[in-house]
Amino acid sequence: MPDRPVNFNHVRMIRMKPESPINALPPVVIALTLLILGIEAVFQLANAGLIGGPRGVGWRFAAIEEFGFSAAVLDRVIVNGDYSFDMLKRFVTYPFINVQLTQVAFCAALTLALGKFTAEFYGGLKVLGLFLATSIIGAIVYGLLVDGRYPLLGGFTPVYGLIGAYTYALWLQLGKAGEKQIRAFQLIGFLLLIQLIFGIFAGLIYAAPPPPSWIAELTGFFAGFLISIVLAPGGWAALLHRMRQRS
């Protein structure tokens, strides 16, 4: 019995079918991004009077009081020994309470982009661990160095933690390719330069220094970079092996 003729047009259509970028995203990255956007959407709808009634206008401020972080929180935990859930939750909830639409947009976009890359390199659950760990470490350092007048809000601290993880992954890949590994730090250098420029302009326009959130963000970057040494394929043993080869 003769074989059925192959429909080459059908085969070509299958091969040319584009892969959905949404399906390619790890679930944990989608969940984090939706949480950032969803909370801000609730605040925006409340401010517009579409939900929450008259009280909805104050939901953002209520959320800052309930879920935000400040040095006073760290004082209550360390000095007063208050390890209640109300205090400890703030170390990981403050990244989801943003204060500006631009902050939300940047945090969501960077979480998607960096989260996809880091999840492919380290694994989805490890990215979630990085996000939470860098949030906690950044908050602790911030609480130790900044007084209670400036609350820590927004997702830039764990985003910088993901940048640290991305930098370490790129550092490894450049090393394997025999290229200059210093190039891995171009992204963080560019972001710090942009942040410095915005800080200068804000100081000139508003005649006030910018909030010291950069302390938590920079801490998040270094924490993400160092934690990634253990999370990367091969972990600490692989790093020691590479160091011995170079020595």
Side-chain angles (χ1 to χ4, degrees):
M1 182 176 179
D3 295 335
R4 295 179 59 184
V6 178
N7 189 339
F8 290 100
N9 291 330
H10 178 67
V11 174
R12 190 180 299 111
M13 289 179 62
I14 293 176
R15 289 180 178 178
M16 294 179 62
K17 184 178 180 181
E19 182 181 1
S20 173
I22 296 179
N23 293 337
L25 289 171
V28 65
V29 176
I30 297 176
L32 288 172
T33 306
L34 289 179
L35 192 56
I36 294 171
L37 294 175
I39 292 174
E40 181 61 28
V42 170
F43 292 151
Q44 292 296 326
L45 291 174
N47 289 339
L50 299 177
I51 59 174
R55 295 184 178 181
V57 179
W59 280 3
R60 188 188 299 272
F61 296 101
I64 292 174
E65 290 291 330
E66 179 69 19
F67 300 101
F69 181 84
S70 68
V73 173
L74 189 63
D75 287 341
R76 286 191 57 174
V77 173
I78 296 178
V79 178
N80 299 332
D82 186 356
Y83 294 97
S84 63
F85 177 75
D86 180 58
M87 290 292 107
L88 296 182
K89 72 182 181 184
R90 297 170 184 266
F91 289 84
V92 294
T93 55
Y94 75 87
F96 302 100
I97 311 298
N98 294 276
V99 294
Q100 296 175 344
L101 274 175
T102 53
Q103 186 182 30
V104 174
F106 276 111
C107 287
L110 289 173
T111 299
L112 275 178
L114 295 167
K116 182 180 185 300
F117 178 86
T118 52
E120 291 173 350
F121 188 83
Y122 299 100
L125 291 179
K126 291 181 180 180
V127 169
L128 178 61
L130 271 168
F131 192 95
L132 298 176
T134 54
S135 297
I136 295 170
I137 296 171
I140 292 174
V141 174
Y142 184 87
L144 292 173
L145 299 180
V146 180
D147 61 44
R149 292 178 297 172
Y150 301 100
L152 180 60
L153 301 168
F156 277 129
T157 299
V159 163
Y160 271 74
L162 293 179
I163 294 173
Y166 166 82
T167 301
Y168 183 71
L170 187 58
W171 185 79
L172 290 178
Q173 292 180 349
L174 290 173
K176 291 180 180 179
E179 300 183 20
K180 294 182 179 179
Q181 292 177 289
I182 191 65
R183 291 172 49 197
F185 296 89
Q186 288 179 343
L187 177 59
I188 183 62
F190 174 76
L191 291 175
L192 290 176
L193 178 61
I194 294 297
Q195 192 172 42
L196 176 62
I197 293 173
F198 274 104
I200 293 174
F201 275 104
L204 294 175
I205 295 174
Y206 300 106
S213 58
W214 64 267
I215 295 175
E217 294 158 7
L218 200 58
T219 300
F221 170 79
F222 285 112
F225 188 91
L226 294 175
I227 293 173
S228 298
I229 296 175
V230 180
L231 299 182
W236 184 257
L239 177 65
L240 292 178
H241 178 68
R242 288 190 296 270
M243 298 297 290
R244 291 192 188 102
Q245 285 183 329
R246 294 182 180 181
S247 61

